[in-house]
Amino acid sequence: MQIELALMSEQGGRQVNEDACGHWHSERYLCCVLADGAGGHGGGDVASKLAVSHALQSYATRPAHDPQALRDLLRDTNEAVLAQRATTPQLRHMHSTVVLLSIDLQDRSALWGHCGDSRLYAFRQGRLATRTRDHSLVQSLIDGGLLDEAGARVHPKRSELYSALGAQGDDLHFSVQPEPWPLAGGDALMLCTDGLWEWLPDEEITAALAFATDPQAWLNDLGLRVRLAAADKPNHDNYTALALWLGD
């Protein structure tokens, strides 16, 4: 299976980029992780980098492409964030979203899990096939029929999360794909932070994909669209994405 991979991470209008992303692969497995941190006093930057590095190192030590393994990995990554908070008082409020993608190159399947409002999008034949659903207040309002997607993007509490890494006990919630998703040639996958998707409806992300010649061109186009959409918001958020294209 041939895979093209591209990355984009921009500071936006903030003083610090608190997003992080990375990937690891062996002959059989590929793992991609993206995170968006918060917490003040440098905590967001620390939390996101810790989430990405810990998840990738743990996966590399023992690649396991099944839903329970991803649940365990997300739970263990949360424990790593909590441990860092406990030993560093100035980081006691840090937390981070995370989205993790595992690909079995031999079986040609993908599996993903997430916590918070960083997302995974999966496209097939140029159309959006599925995407993750946020652990957030506005997502619960959408699910209850009290808000639509357009309203969610301008809601004053659109950044309020129900769960993120750094939560304890029953406050931690994450979602994992219930079974591997069979991959096909021509599929496109993207992990991204809310700093990207809050400016770009699903239809616009799909339209950009149709015009792109490769995954980096796709991300470059999306980045330009974010900058144009946020032109009158000088303090707009960091935006980060990792894209994968599967060869035929």
Side-chain angles (χ1 to χ4, degrees), residues 13-36:
R14 302 292 173 85
Q15 293 184 341
V16 176
N17 188 348
E18 295 185 317
D19 294 347
C21 64
H23 56 91
W24 170 90
H25 72 90
S26 64
E27 290 187 1
R28 176 166 181 177
Y29 296 104
L30 168 64
C31 182
C32 302
V33 184
L34 178 146
D36 178 3

Side-chain angles (χ1 to χ4, degrees), residues 130-209:
T130 186
R131 72 163 169 81
T132 54
R133 295 169 62 194
D134 309 328
H135 302 117
S136 66
L137 171 63
V138 294
Q139 183 65 62
S140 68
L141 295 176
I142 292 172
D143 293 343
L146 302 175
L147 195 66
D148 60 16
E149 292 283 351
R153 295 173 191 279
V154 295
H155 195 281
K157 294 187 177 181
R158 61 186 178 277
S159 297
E160 186 171 317
L161 301 180
Y162 279 156
S163 185
L165 297 182
Q168 301 190 41
D170 294 338
D171 291 332
L172 177 67
H173 303 280
F174 50 82
S175 300
V176 173
Q177 181 77 1
E179 58 185 22
W181 196 67
L183 293 167
D187 285 354
L189 303 168
M190 182 177 71
L191 292 70
C192 69
T193 60
D194 67 324
L196 186 140
W197 64 254
E198 73 170 331
W199 300 102
L200 305 179
D202 296 354
E203 296 78 10
E204 190 166 354
I205 295 174
T206 306
L209 175 62

